[in-house]
Amino acid sequence: MDTTDRCTVNSLREVPGCDPSAGAVRWDPVHSLWNGGMLAAALLLAPVYASWGAVTVFLVLTGASLLLGHSVGFHRRLIHRSFDCPLWLERALVWVGNCVGMSGPFWMIRTHDLRDWAQRQAHCHDYLAHRQPMLIDAWWQLHCRLTLDHPPAFDLGAAGKDRFYRFLEATWMAQQLPLALLLYLGGGWGWVIWGVCVRVSASVTGHWYVGHLAHRRGPQSWLVKDAGVQAHDIPWAAIPTMGEAWHNNHHAFPGSARIGLYPGQSDWGYAFIRALAAMGVAWNIALPEDLGRDKVLARVGPA
């Protein structure tokens, strides 16, 4: 295990006067039209093209992309760097994460790290804390963006210089087209609607919904001292989120590759990382006991 602090907010750089509390929520036309279009296609066309094959494609692709791409590739590797792996594997996992359909890798890093940093402060904007009622928060998170009056800076490091990641950032929506073509060849329009539109809409909406609940209600084992926003676990969402729904654990140990920490806490993302390690393509895996978080945590629930 190296001595790197795996719990830092990796890409964000504080600058004099930066403030996570003052800013304006504005409509984001790119993500709004994308998210709204996928939802409309799912609601209007999915019933027409429903079949056992199409639903199976939806389930398999959604599970695989959330596990390999969003949970392991984007979140635990690219954002938190909670394990090391060859660059070719990182790029493959990040490409799968890109295909989840939320946005490109740079947007995902900045959005995550801004929220991560803000929630550790004494005060932050309601947008960053999921503090508004559900319908308002849904509109904000799925169709808007926050423009802070005094934002921090970002340095994406090696990822920001990577030509492949720059390509994904510029073409993140178009990355659905090769997949759509393969699905069309395999099962026609039904597979395209369920394998792209329904999958993307369910992933994006589900990501917001679990995130909203995880900052408002649910079990807690830990409080992070001096943090203005605390997290909760969402047990029923552990399997569909591949372990990400143990969000109270994640706030407590943000650099840990393992998020489901206690008996009965399913964590398929960590299980996949262990499988990679068994194959010799993942190493330096950070766990809670490696992170030295005792001074910033207070236990409030059973282990």
Side-chain angles (χ1 to χ4, degrees):
M1 177 63 59
D2 67 17
T3 58
T4 302
D5 184 355
R6 302 294 186 103
C7 295
T8 58
V9 183
N10 289 305
S11 76
L12 186 141
R13 302 291 178 264
E14 293 189 0
V15 296
C18 63
D19 178 8
S21 61
V25 179
R26 297 187 172 91
W27 183 54
D28 178 350
V30 172
H31 289 90
S32 180
L33 294 174
W34 173 258
N35 294 336
M38 288 293 172
L39 178 60
L43 293 176
L44 295 174
L45 299 177
V48 177
Y49 288 97
S51 68
W52 287 113
V55 173
T56 300
V57 164
F58 161 74
L59 292 173
V60 171
L61 290 183
T62 302
S65 61
L66 290 177
L67 173 60
L68 278 65
H70 180 75
S71 178
V72 176
F74 267 173
H75 193 209
R76 306 193 205 201
R77 171 55 200 164
L78 191 63
I79 291 173
H80 284 291
R81 306 172 193 172
S82 63
F83 69 98
D84 292 333
C85 66
L87 181 58
W88 65 263
L89 178 58
E90 176 187 290
R91 285 174 171 172
L93 294 171
V94 168
W95 177 80
V96 176
N98 188 91
C99 288
V100 171
M102 295 182 191
S103 199
F106 298 162
W107 187 93
M108 295 292 291
I109 293 172
R110 292 190 186 99
T111 298
H112 177 283
D113 282 3
L114 178 63
R115 194 180 304 275
D116 194 351
W117 167 74
Q119 291 178 356
R120 300 184 190 192
Q121 312 307 308
H123 304 283
C124 71
H125 195 282
D126 284 357
Y127 176 98
L128 297 167
H130 292 279
R131 200 174 284 125
Q132 287 293 318
M134 184 173 290
L135 291 180
I136 295 175
D137 192 54
W139 171 253
W140 279 9
Q141 305 297 333
L142 299 175
H143 298 278
C144 302
R145 57 183 172 85
L146 174 66
T147 303
L148 290 174
D149 295 342
H150 304 286
F154 289 90
D155 180 358
L156 300 182
K161 300 179 179 67
D162 191 297
R163 292 183 179 180
F164 180 65
Y165 294 155
R166 289 185 177 186
F167 170 71
L168 291 184
E169 184 70 16
T171 63
W172 67 272
M173 288 183 282
Q175 294 299 314
Q176 302 295 333
L177 294 177
L179 178 60
L181 177 59
L182 291 175
L183 290 172
Y184 179 78
L185 295 174
W189 285 111
W191 283 24
V192 174
I193 298 301
W194 281 84
V196 176
C197 301
V198 180
R199 174 182 56 80
V200 169
S201 185
S203 298
V204 171
T205 306
H207 180 261
W208 157 75
Y209 183 59
V210 172
H212 177 82
L213 295 181
H215 294 95
R216 296 178 68 88
R217 61 180 66 89
Q220 291 179 308
S221 299
W222 305 93
L223 292 180
V224 181
K225 298 176 183 178
D226 300 323
V229 179
Q230 302 293 337
H232 304 262
D233 293 330
I234 313 296
W236 62 262
I239 292 178
T241 63
M242 306 302 163
E244 300 289 332
W246 305 114
H247 204 60
N248 181 255
N249 295 342
H250 179 58
H251 270 226
F253 305 100
S256 175
R258 183 180 182 184
I259 301 176
L261 302 181
Y262 308 119
Q265 294 189 341
S266 171
D267 188 352
W268 290 17
Y270 178 60
F272 181 71
I273 293 170
R274 289 186 63 187
L276 294 178
M279 293 184 286
V281 291
W283 60 90
N284 202 16
I285 300 170
L287 297 174
E289 56 266 29
D290 304 318
L291 302 179
R293 298 279 286 171
D294 294 346
K295 294 182 180 180
V296 301
L297 296 178
R299 180 175 286 282
V300 295

